[in-house]
Amino acid sequence: MSKNSKKNQVIAQMRTKAGLTQAELAQLVGVSENTIANWERGSASKWISHLIKLCGALNCDLEDLAPEEESQHAEVYSLSGRDIETVRTYCEAVLVKDHKSSSKIASYATIHDPQLRYWLDQADKLIYDFRDKGIDIPDVESLIGGLTLCSLTNRLVYSQSELGTLPNEAYKLSAQQFMDCVEKVQLSQSFVDRYVDLDEENYKRGLIFQNWILSVYVIGWKPSHEVPMHHHGNSLDAIKVVQGEMTHWQLSEKEAHDQNIPFEGIQGWWEDERFDAVSQVYKAGDLVLVNRRTAHKIQNCSDDNLVTLHFRFGAPADDKRWKLNVLTFGCDSFGQCRVFKPQPIKSPELTPV
């Protein structure tokens, strides 16, 4: 008996143990009852593309379902390169109701490429989520942007699993692992521009993506806009310069401690300008790491607008400068990309001890 046939038998055994019918398991995984029946008969082996959801529905681990050689590919689903272009083409076909083209892509992925099939399923469910919530889909780039950031979450969770940590133990992921993941992210300019708010009075954040470990947002800075020297506690922050020039000051953990640099959001932090550090100028395309407990300051010292893209791993930014009523993506515990319109972020009033 083949390894896949044995694993298909395991699906039936674990479904029975969980007290689920084929119809109930199909509903939890998001496939048809006939598909579940095929998996259990061993006449189809492409259930691997639904592995994460199967594990959640059956309350089991990856190792319980995945053959050794397959589990290596199922642990993380990355959306990049060729897959992005194929998913983009697929989404375009779905949105214009070109069923012939979308079916051709889906059929190829089902037979030849489980990872691509996984992302096509993600795209389908994201499109459904838009429609179910009565939200108009701005364009295909919005779908690709949301799926790309969902892919980043998968990579971050996978990196933590290599360390034997849980998703809420963000402090255990190394800064280098974090940067390795972020460097792979490619978001289109048109997608990022939608979240930019160049407010005359002060900088504003546009929240693109948020879940239990990651916040991704854009900040627009007019000339002379700045944020005081501060630190982010145990959060990691990767800053990509999208447009303009960013003048940046940074202090090591020891320097931040010795100079008594405040945590962002602490009452009075905005007035505290005392620090001793050398600035560095970064240009469009540069990626800068702000490590845990290190301090930094950003200022737009140029005569042109500045736009920065932030990937915050850990607690989200802690002030009230958020652009409201923006389309924000998220990711649920099954790795499924979602869309929502967030409520205003309420920052607690923190007082130094």
Side-chain angles (χ1 to χ4, degrees), residues 217-221 239-242 246 298 306-310:
Y217 51 89
V218 175
I219 302 182
W221 316 76
I239 307 168
K240 184 173 185 179
V241 182
V242 177
M246 177 182 75
I298 296 174
L306 167 66
V307 176
T308 53
L309 176 63
H310 297 248

Side-chain angles (χ1 to χ4, degrees), residues 125-138:
K125 291 180 175 64
L126 181 56
I127 291 171
Y128 175 82
D129 199 35
F130 267 94
R131 292 171 175 168
D132 185 55
K133 294 174 180 175
I135 303 174
D136 292 334
I137 301 174

